[in-house]
Amino acid sequence: MDLAALAEGRGRLAGPTVAVRGVTAASDRVRPGDLFAALPGRNVHGATFAADAVSLGAVAVLTDDAGAALLAAQVPRLVVPDVRAALGPVAAQVYGQPSRRLSMLGITGTSGKTTTTFLMRAGLRAAGAMTGVIGTVATMIGDETLEAGFTTPEAPDLQALLAVMVERGVDTVAMEVSSHAVAMRRIDGIDFDVAGFTNLSEDHLDFHRDMDDYFAAKLGFVKRATQAVVVVDDEWGRRAAVESRHNATTVSTDGEQAGVRALDVHEERDGTTTFWATGPWGSQRLGCAIPGRYNVANATLALTMLETQGVAGDPVAAAIATAQVPGRMERVDAGQDFLAVVDYSHKPAAVDGALRALRPLTRGRLIVVLGCGGDRDRGKRPHMGEIAARGADVLVVTDDNPRSEDPATIRRAMLAGAAAVPTGQRGEVVEIGDRRAAIVDAVERARPGDTVLVAGKGHETGQEIAGVKQPFDDRVVLREALGAPSGATS
């Protein structure tokens, strides 16, 4: 792509035009022929690293006026008013507008994004589609799994990834869209066919000013898609449906008036659900193999998004009904006489939902292992401790990913929330900082008919302590505590 063509309608070209072969905002990841995006930072402008980028083969720099003043005179540059706003569209142009050659299905919301994405993937594959997945658990091209970084990658990486998917024959992409990605304009330059909205609850308030700001980011994504499907089981969903710029298809599982409704829901003893999804296409038998009433909404949303895109039929519904999702209410079975589950619930509403989902399946006690992450929203820690102490018979407070924080400080905040629950309304509360020891303790406490829930990390395979990520997988540790080899399957 000629640099002069990229400059048209965006900014001014300074220096000679050159051929651009790729785009990156990371100076240490430059490849020969790349356009280096020099973003303004809080303390240092990215143009400071332009010389390093050029030494690795960058042929030009995308920057603003402040960055241009820091560049050597001979470096070709495209100067724009807002580098981040231009980055996604520029990368999309360099990589051939890949989203326009794909069916792009994006899902946003606080909880349920990963589950809905994997349910859609199952339905799409049953319909014969070649799928791509971008999200928290993994990035997938067909059957190949790539290591996930951000829930939504940075704009140049995302556009390059979509281009590779096109090259490899992918026709439909199911993608999680985080509020960070919207606010930081990572998804700019992508044409979404359908946007799905799951729900909204307290999260990421270390990044967003308040819940209204958090909602505005989610709504911004919903508005940009050609069509939208919105779950209206909470007030935020109802607002999203009303404030969306188009006539969104609404979904309800709790009796709200909606275009698509889940009716006659039956929860089985093993945690699976069956129900009827009724919408413009008529009524269809549907189900979900993942425990939790809230997964009825995720399954119905997945089906409706596919129907909206013209992907329908009994094989699609059957695939959604039987699909599993890594680290989402994932059972770990080593032949024990109690239920053991690993779940990614690391937000107040998600913890509450997991406990409510498992309580009907539990004849004995519900034992929960839970921690909170460091360097993140501190306000939710007491709330999570309160919810877990109120909903569990035994709460083992432990470490999650303390990152750079003192783990004991994080646990104290959770314990304070637990202690605020009146004595007669809370379960036994135990503090064991070491997460492996906490999981072992929970298993040793369990008796026939009990349920052990290890919550917070789900699919994650590392634990970050003092800035160092060490290997740790709740599923592996739980299997070992149950007496099964670490390689055993769940």
Side-chain angles (χ1 to χ4, degrees):
M1 177 64 61
D2 190 79
L3 186 62
L6 294 174
E8 291 179 8
R10 289 197 178 97
R12 71 179 191 276
L13 178 63
T17 187
V18 291
V20 173
R21 300 180 59 187
V23 185
T24 184
S27 61
D28 59 347
R29 294 179 58 192
V30 167
R31 296 185 179 188
D34 273 357
L35 172 66
F36 171 59
L39 295 158
R42 288 180 180 174
N43 302 311
V44 178
H45 199 291
T48 305
F49 306 100
D52 295 334
V54 170
S55 70
L56 291 174
V59 295
V61 177
L62 170 67
T63 192
D64 53 16
D65 285 320
L70 299 173
L71 298 178
Q74 68 272 23
V75 177
R77 77 286 308 268
L78 169 53
V79 184
V80 296
D82 185 336
V83 187
R84 190 166 287 282
L87 184 53
V90 164
Q93 191 170 344
V94 169
Y95 292 117
Q97 304 292 353
S99 70
R100 296 179 185 176
R101 291 182 279 170
L102 297 161
S103 291
M104 295 295 304
L105 311 177
I107 305 97
T108 197
T110 302
S111 301
K113 295 188 296 296
T114 298
T115 297
T116 304
T117 300
F118 272 80
L119 294 179
M120 284 202 299
R121 176 179 183 266
L124 287 164
R125 288 166 67 87
M130 175 65 170
T131 59
V133 170
I134 302 173
T136 308
V137 171
T139 293
M140 305 180 75
I141 303 176
D143 290 324
E144 181 185 359
T145 299
L146 311 177
E147 183 178 348
F150 295 124
T151 296
T152 312
E154 291 288 358
D157 301 325
L158 185 51
Q159 294 292 342
L161 174 61
L162 293 176
V164 171
M165 289 184 175
V166 170
E167 288 179 352
R168 297 193 186 177
V170 169
D171 50 53
T172 307
V173 177
M175 175 178 165
E176 295 182 49
V177 178
S178 68
S179 60
H180 291 69
V182 180
M184 299 179 72
R185 311 196 71 153
R186 294 177 191 160
I187 60 171
D188 285 16
I190 298 178
D191 295 333
F192 284 95
D193 296 284
V194 185
F197 180 97
T198 58
N199 51 62
L200 202 76
S201 61
E202 181 184 339
D203 198 26
H204 300 309
L205 295 186
D206 53 338
F207 179 81
H208 297 285
R209 291 190 309 272
D210 50 32
M211 287 296 293
D212 283 322
D213 184 55
Y214 181 32
F215 171 71
K218 301 288 191 184
L219 181 64
F221 164 64
V222 174
K223 285 182 174 181
R224 69 186 300 146
T226 303
Q227 301 180 84
V229 181
V230 178
V231 178
V232 292
D233 289 342
D234 66 18
E235 62 172 306
W236 299 105
R238 292 187 284 276
R239 276 186 59 181
V242 171
E243 296 178 28
S244 170
R245 66 174 177 81
H246 35 45
N247 186 21
T249 299
T250 53
V251 172
S252 177
T253 65
D254 67 357
E256 290 286 333
Q257 288 300 314
V260 180
R261 301 172 68 195
L263 303 173
D264 196 23
V265 178
H266 290 281
E267 297 182 75
E268 308 298 334
R269 290 294 303 176
D270 62 358
T272 61
T273 54
T274 58
F275 55 96
W276 287 94
T278 301
W281 62 81
S283 293
Q284 191 164 15
R285 193 69 173 169
L286 194 61
C288 188
I290 311 165
R293 181 68 180 250
Y294 51 88
N295 282 312
V296 171
N298 294 331
T300 308
L301 175 61
L303 180 73
T304 306
M305 289 182 69
L306 296 184
E307 290 273 358
T308 299
Q309 197 63 4
V311 180
D314 290 339
V316 173
I320 291 174
T322 56
Q324 298 285 343
V325 182
R328 268 57 176 181
M329 298 298 274
E330 184 175 346
R331 300 167 188 270
V332 177
D333 188 358
Q336 76 276 7
D337 51 9
F338 55 88
L339 181 61
V341 175
V342 169
D343 189 58
Y344 190 54
S345 45
H346 60 289
K347 309 158 192 173
V351 172
D352 183 55
L355 294 172
R356 291 178 183 276
L358 293 172
R359 178 59 72 184
L361 310 180
T362 305
R363 299 192 310 275
R365 299 175 303 163
L366 183 50
I367 304 168
V368 178
V369 178
L370 180 67
C372 286
D375 302 336
R376 298 294 188 269
D377 183 3
R378 289 170 169 78
K380 70 181 181 183
R381 296 169 186 173
H383 194 191
M384 288 175 65
E386 181 268 326
I387 288 171
R390 191 183 297 275
D393 297 296
V394 179
L395 166 62
V396 183
V397 174
T398 190
D399 295 340
D400 190 283
N401 293 310
R403 299 184 177 90
S404 68
E405 282 195 67
D406 175 17
T409 300
I410 300 172
R411 297 196 303 271
R412 277 197 295 273
M414 292 184 66
L415 291 167
V421 180
T423 304
Q425 298 176 26
R426 71 170 181 259
E428 179 183 356
V429 179
V430 180
E431 180 184 10
I432 302 176
D434 182 274
R435 191 171 181 91
R436 183 180 299 272
I439 293 172
V440 170
D441 179 82
V443 168
E444 289 177 345
R445 290 172 181 271
R447 300 291 180 264
D450 287 352
T451 294
V452 172
L453 168 64
V454 181
K457 290 173 59 60
H459 64 282
E460 293 178 359
T461 56
Q463 184 180 26
E464 189 175 341
I465 302 173
V468 178
K469 183 170 285 189
Q470 304 168 0
F472 197 100
D473 188 323
D474 280 352
R475 297 163 296 181
V476 172
V477 174
L478 182 53
R479 288 187 192 108
E480 292 173 347
L482 293 167
S486 60
T489 57
S490 60

